[in-house]
Amino acid sequence: MLTTLRRIVLEFSQEAELQNALERMVYNVKKAMKTDCCSIYLADYHQQHFLLMASDGLAKTSVGETSIGFSEGLVGLVGQREEPLNIADAQQHQDYMHAPEVEEDDFNAFLGTPIIHQRKVLGILAIQQKESRHYTENDEAFLVTLSAQLASALANAEVKNLLSHQQQKNQGVKQLHGIAGAPGIALSEIIVCQPQADLAAVSLKKSPDSQKQLLRFEQAVEKTRIEFDVLSSQLSEAIDDDSLAIFDVYKQLLEQASLGHEVAAKISKGWRADSALKLVIEHYISQFEAIEDSYFRERASDIRDLGTRLLVNIQQQAKEELELPKEFILLAQDVSASLVAQYQHQGLLGIISLTGSNNSHAAILARSLGLPAIMGVNALVLGQLHQQQAIIDGYSGELFINPDEGLIREYQYLLSQEKALTDKVMEVAQLPCITQDGRAIEVLLNAGLSAGFEHSAKLGALGIGLYRTEIPFMNRNCFPSEQEQTQLYRKVLQVFPKHGVTMRTLDVGGDKSLPYFPINEENPFLGWRGIRITLDHPEIFLVQVRAMLRANQGLNNLEIMLPMISGVEEIDEANRLINQAFFELKAELTKDITTELMSASNEDGHLTLQQAQKKAQAVSAKLVRPKIGIMLEVPSVIFQMEALAKRVDFFSVGSNDLTQYLLAVDRNNSQVANLYDAFHPAVLNALNSIAKQSAQYLTPISLCGELASQPAGAILLLAMGFDKISMNGHNVPRIKWVIRHISFEQAQNILDKTLTLTTAKEVHSYLNEQLEVLGLGGFIRAGY
């Protein structure tokens, strides 16, 4: 059963044309299930009906012509109920709808199941039989499993089909949807970046230049053959057995008389090199996986490995030929923060990531750079989107492919309105962040995600609320020395010499890894990360703290923040190590200065040892123990606030992780990204509780998550009583503008009402309505 399912889904996925894929699929299902008829209906939400798209058993003339309303017939009933429907005598069922044109009078048994992708019914898969009987539980299980596996492939195929028709007929604009990752609008050409080879992600596409594509494939074959020779040679030094024969098999498959010949034949028919490779490799994989013998079935993985290696080299050839336009939108399967940093100075106007959420590091970096971003776009069509004209709307998460002139004019107007708003908010950049009735809140900067944040000081931030020290650790091949860290931290502290700079100790693990200190865990976000790592490795923690203390000499604007705290024991141990580093460094400074003074004194004889020590102690006294705070991001701390307040100088909420842990949602997983919401009532009530407890225990409280950079979020945090909020530089003047155009009383009224709401949808709707009433609609949607 499993082998048959895989084969049907694989064949469906690798078919270039949607109609062909559907026809092949119903044929395969009918054959596999030994039934008399198999049909598939696709949902058309514009027309509110299911359209018969393919059938093996019903009248051929009815395909593409027969439609069934969403509330009509057995097909409509399956869609409404969103569950399988198994009927022994369909024609006797009260919802049966007779359609003479499909010629189904001879069929009695009916089994239909919905094809659902991300809670949306895409279509109905149905089988029928002349004999009146209930289909077996195994039949029903097979069809349900197949439908579930077909769902994402069908969603992808529909997008590919619509894009293909656009290219051929130029019919209309294709609108895709994703998660709004960073606000803003971009109109430009899409450039696809494919850093990792993945045959499944290759879109089937043809090329007018077969010779060029053939040359690209031949060069990739030669490079792959050389790689196999090198690998075989290296391994032969360590082993000497039949295991090395696999490389000979690989090289034989590359020959023109074998797999290489088939790929070349596909290319000669007009397919691009990567598309031709995908077709041949996946064909071989499906054949091998269908074989009963386990040895031969395992050879499918060898074929897949060979195909992946070839694809890497084919894509490298294409990458070398890629020329970036002056302005472009970057699209990738998984846009990383490093990709954004790499292209930000090369004409990058916006980003589209097929995976990720609005709180992935790429989205956070995009917001800090003022780049619109859409994450988790439901379409695996990388190749077909390359060099297409597009509009991305980072406010709504909408992506428009090949927009018409009317849509372009509309968004050009919105862009002009957005620029006008940006110019307006800059008027308050250097003014205090204070409400109309005199309530102040400090707006600070989140820094460290990218280099060169110094310009943000000009945007009106009153210091740094979060400096992420892990980034310098990531861009290296070993841990940085104490001296290197000291120099870096000194530069950061000097940017805001008159304001506080809060440095978070090393926070790796989860989705942040060090190449020279790998951490492999099944559930990294609940594993070894943050303070847990540095307490287990005090040699790393002590060096970093010493570097911070050294950098702070004479400036005294450093505050140290500990991440991922879940209990008082971690604070006690961290405080012990900080005290150790402080007193060790103080003693070392006294000794070093004494030695230096005595050396100078020996030349002129002015100082005694006692005098030198006294002067040295006076200098080392300027080494100040900074304030120590913790990040509140693990839910357990909410119930330990009193004990925590006795041990630290300040609290800072990390709302990104706190949200993720409270809602049990991986914030980087686009599959569940719709469940991750910092405006969820549970999160807002938790934040309100934290603020009240902080006030009760007289402990300063700030928030450095992305919630602070959203206008509605800033208003709620102000009303809750947060002393400081920290965000990316781009949003500092925007939030100042919002706070300066509201009274504290208004903010409190909004908070009171918000805390009575029970769903995140209700919260968003209410807050957006209030922003409109306050004349601040432009911050949630361009042009308002």
Side-chain angles (χ1 to χ4, degrees):
M1 173 179 166
L2 186 58
T3 301
T4 304
L5 280 169
R6 286 176 176 170
R7 179 174 53 79
I8 293 174
V9 174
L10 185 59
E11 284 192 21
F12 182 89
S13 300
Q14 73 176 137
E15 178 58 57
E17 294 293 330
L18 175 60
Q19 189 58 42
N20 293 341
L22 295 172
E23 291 173 0
R24 181 67 181 170
M25 190 266 293
V26 295
Y27 168 79
N28 285 332
V29 173
K30 175 184 173 182
K31 181 179 178 182
M33 300 192 71
K34 298 178 181 179
T35 191
D36 296 325
C37 177
C38 179
S39 308
I40 186 166
Y41 300 80
L42 295 188
D44 183 336
Y45 282 87
H46 181 67
Q47 298 291 336
Q48 289 289 294
H49 67 213
F50 292 105
L51 182 65
L52 177 63
M53 292 296 294
S55 179
D56 191 331
L58 298 181
K60 296 295 183 185
T61 55
S62 64
V63 173
E65 300 295 329
T66 298
S67 61
I68 300 175
F70 280 170
S71 59
E72 296 177 338
L74 297 179
V75 169
L77 184 60
V78 173
Q80 283 183 318
R81 291 173 52 168
E82 298 184 351
E83 62 179 341
L85 189 62
N86 190 348
I87 304 173
D89 193 343
Q91 297 188 37
Q92 300 303 313
H93 194 278
Q94 61 183 13
D95 288 298
Y96 177 78
M97 186 182 75
H98 184 253
E101 70 274 14
V102 302
E103 299 177 7
E104 62 177 346
D105 292 346
D106 292 336
F107 298 126
N108 291 293
F110 173 90
L111 173 60
T113 183
I115 302 173
I116 302 176
H117 183 68
Q118 294 186 343
R119 304 187 184 185
K120 182 179 182 181
V121 177
L122 300 182
I124 307 297
L125 181 60
I127 56 174
Q128 295 170 272
Q129 195 159 348
K130 295 178 181 178
E131 178 189 355
S132 295
R133 69 178 183 92
H134 281 103
Y135 281 94
T136 67
E137 288 185 4
N138 287 338
D139 290 334
E140 189 171 324
F142 181 90
L143 205 65
V144 169
T145 307
L146 177 61
S147 297
Q149 291 192 18
L150 279 174
S152 60
L154 180 59
N156 177 32
E158 283 191 296
V159 173
K160 287 195 294 185
N161 187 61
L162 286 167
L163 286 173
S164 175
H165 281 301
Q166 280 183 344
Q167 292 169 359
Q168 295 169 9
K169 304 177 183 179
N170 195 29
Q171 292 180 346
V173 180
K174 175 56 190 170
Q175 181 180 357
L176 303 177
H177 295 273
I179 301 162
I185 295 166
L187 294 77
S188 193
E189 173 184 351
I190 290 176
I191 295 298
V192 172
C193 179
Q194 296 174 311
Q196 294 183 343
D198 181 5
L199 281 167
V202 172
S203 296
L204 297 178
K205 195 172 183 180
K206 294 195 172 183
S207 167
D209 193 342
S210 295
Q211 287 301 315
K212 181 179 179 180
Q213 295 298 317
L214 185 59
L215 177 62
R216 180 178 291 171
F217 174 67
E218 290 173 347
Q219 290 173 337
V221 167
E222 184 58 30
K223 188 172 181 180
T224 305
R225 185 182 288 111
I226 293 171
E227 288 173 355
F228 286 143
D229 286 336
V230 172
L231 286 172
S232 180
S233 176
Q234 290 174 341
L235 284 174
S236 65
E237 298 174 7
I239 59 175
D240 184 18
D241 58 26
D242 293 339
S243 300
L244 296 176
I246 184 60
F247 294 107
D248 293 329
V249 174
Y250 281 168
K251 286 186 281 187
Q252 289 173 12
L253 287 170
L254 289 172
E255 298 299 330
Q256 282 292 323
S258 186
L259 181 149
H261 174 71
E262 293 189 39
V263 176
K266 296 283 186 186
I267 292 174
S268 66
K269 293 181 179 179
W271 292 106
R272 288 193 333 188
D274 55 353
S275 298
L277 179 69
K278 175 186 174 79
L279 289 169
V280 173
I281 292 295
E282 290 190 345
H283 173 69
Y284 271 100
I285 289 173
S286 64
Q287 284 191 324
F288 275 105
E289 287 187 337
I291 298 174
E292 294 296 329
D293 186 274
S294 60
Y295 173 81
F296 287 103
R297 200 162 56 241
E298 286 299 319
R299 301 289 68 78
S301 63
D302 297 334
I303 298 293
R304 184 180 288 107
D305 179 46
L306 175 61
T308 300
R309 288 179 177 274
L310 278 167
L311 183 60
V312 168
N313 291 322
I314 288 174
Q315 289 181 347
Q316 184 60 39
Q317 297 288 338
K319 188 176 181 181
E320 291 171 355
E321 298 169 8
L322 182 65
E323 292 185 8
L324 292 176
K326 290 183 179 180
E327 294 181 333
F328 63 95
I329 294 168
L330 177 68
L331 168 65
Q333 176 70 30
D334 182 14
V335 176
S336 63
S338 59
L339 268 182
V340 178
Q342 176 184 343
Y343 288 104
Q344 64 169 309
H345 298 303
Q346 301 184 51
L348 180 62
L349 296 183
I351 66 172
I352 306 166
S353 182
L354 303 190
T355 60
S357 73
N358 62 350
N359 275 289
S360 65
H361 280 130
I364 294 172
L365 181 54
R367 288 194 286 271
S368 69
L369 295 171
L371 293 171
I374 302 177
M375 317 300 290
V377 178
N378 179 27
L380 299 176
V381 287
L382 287 175
Q384 285 191 268
L385 290 175
H386 185 56
Q387 294 182 328
Q388 298 271 10
Q389 290 298 313
I391 295 174
I392 63 176
D393 188 330
Y395 294 97
S396 64
E398 293 173 302
L399 167 62
F400 301 94
I401 308 298
N402 294 325
D404 56 32
E405 288 299 320
L407 194 60
I408 290 174
R409 282 195 300 271
E410 178 184 342
Y411 271 91
Q412 284 175 335
Y413 170 76
L414 293 178
L415 268 174
S416 67
Q417 294 295 100
E418 190 177 65
K419 184 180 182 304
L421 179 61
T422 300
D423 292 341
K424 182 179 289 187
V425 300
M426 287 305 296
E427 297 172 4
V428 304
Q430 301 305 320
L431 297 177
C433 188
I434 187 169
T435 64
Q436 294 174 337
D437 51 358
R439 181 69 173 236
I441 186 170
E442 290 188 37
V443 179
L444 308 175
L445 181 68
N446 287 341
L449 199 57
S450 61
F453 68 87
E454 291 83 355
H455 72 280
S456 298
K458 300 176 182 178
L459 296 175
L462 293 179
I464 296 179
L466 169 64
Y467 180 74
R468 304 175 178 92
T469 61
E470 61 271 9
I471 303 304
F473 280 76
M474 291 179 180
N475 300 328
R476 306 172 50 83
N477 54 18
C478 65
F479 285 105
S481 68
E482 182 177 328
Q483 183 179 0
E484 290 173 312
Q485 291 186 61
T486 300
Q487 291 174 350
L488 173 63
Y489 301 153
R490 183 77 177 179
K491 290 179 181 177
V492 175
L493 292 169
Q494 287 174 334
V495 174
F496 291 94
K498 297 180 181 180
H499 299 287
V501 173
T502 302
M503 292 189 171
R504 183 175 66 190
T505 58
L506 185 62
D507 185 17
V508 293
D511 60 344
K512 295 172 289 185
S513 61
L514 303 178
Y516 49 87
F517 192 68
I519 302 170
N520 297 312
E521 298 179 303
E522 290 186 6
N523 198 338
F525 284 102
L526 298 181
W528 202 43
R529 59 171 300 200
I531 197 69
R532 299 170 181 178
I533 293 177
T534 50
L535 290 183
D536 283 351
H537 282 276
E539 74 280 12
I540 299 172
F541 186 78
L542 286 167
V543 168
Q544 184 176 37
V545 172
R546 285 168 57 93
M548 290 178 179
L549 296 174
R550 282 187 185 274
N552 192 40
Q553 289 182 85
L555 292 172
N556 299 332
N557 60 337
L558 169 69
E559 295 181 353
I560 295 177
M561 184 158 62
L562 308 173
M564 197 65 183
I565 293 293
S566 58
V568 295
E569 301 91 348
E570 292 163 334
I571 301 175
D572 290 341
E573 179 62 11
N575 272 327
R576 185 187 70 77
L577 292 173
I578 291 171
N579 287 335
Q580 177 183 327
F582 176 74
F583 289 114
E584 282 178 357
L585 191 56
K586 200 175 186 73
E588 288 175 21
L589 284 173
T590 301
K591 182 180 178 181
D592 291 344
I593 296 170
T594 299
T595 302
E596 185 179 335
L597 289 172
M598 287 304 297
S599 176
S601 179
N602 287 337
E603 297 178 7
D604 53 28
H606 286 309
L607 285 177
T608 66
L609 175 59
Q610 188 176 10
Q611 290 173 323
Q613 289 177 333
K614 190 173 181 179
K615 282 197 171 188
Q617 288 170 353
V619 174
S620 67
K622 294 181 180 179
L623 183 71
V624 178
R625 188 183 189 279
K627 291 180 179 180
I628 308 299
I630 61 170
M631 292 197 75
L632 306 181
E633 49 194 341
V634 179
S636 60
V637 298
I638 300 175
F639 307 99
Q640 297 180 291
M641 297 286 285
E642 182 176 6
L644 298 173
K646 293 176 181 178
R647 290 167 165 82
V648 298
D649 301 302
F650 65 92
F651 295 139
S652 183
V653 177
S655 64
N656 298 346
D657 271 331
L658 181 62
T659 301
Q660 139 169 288
Y661 292 133
L662 277 172
L663 302 181
V665 175
D666 178 356
R667 61 190 173 102
N668 291 321
N669 185 343
S670 60
Q671 195 72 13
V672 293
N674 62 310
L675 301 177
Y676 178 95
D677 196 328
F679 289 92
H680 189 287
V683 177
L684 296 179
N685 277 282
L687 292 174
N688 193 47
S689 173
I690 288 171
K692 285 184 176 180
Q693 291 186 72
S694 298
Q696 181 182 348
Y697 302 126
L698 304 178
T699 306
I701 181 74
S702 66
L703 184 140
C704 57
E706 288 298 305
L707 179 64
S709 64
Q710 300 185 51
I715 290 172
L716 295 178
L717 295 172
L718 168 74
M720 289 177 187
F722 279 80
D723 305 300
K724 304 174 183 179
I725 50 178
S726 185
M727 64 203 67
N728 60 68
H730 175 72
N731 279 310
V732 169
R734 298 167 68 88
I735 296 303
K736 277 192 172 185
W737 178 275
V738 170
I739 298 298
R740 289 179 61 86
H741 284 77
I742 192 173
S743 70
F744 184 62
E745 182 181 358
Q746 287 175 314
Q748 286 184 308
N749 291 337
I750 291 173
L751 173 64
D752 290 342
K753 173 63 177 178
T754 301
L755 293 178
T756 67
L757 303 176
T758 56
T759 69
K761 184 177 181 180
E762 290 175 347
V763 171
H764 282 289
S765 177
Y766 171 70
L767 292 176
N768 287 345
E769 174 188 304
Q770 292 304 302
L771 287 173
E772 296 284 358
V773 170
L774 293 166
L776 301 171
F779 292 98
I780 56 174
R781 186 71 178 88
Y784 285 82

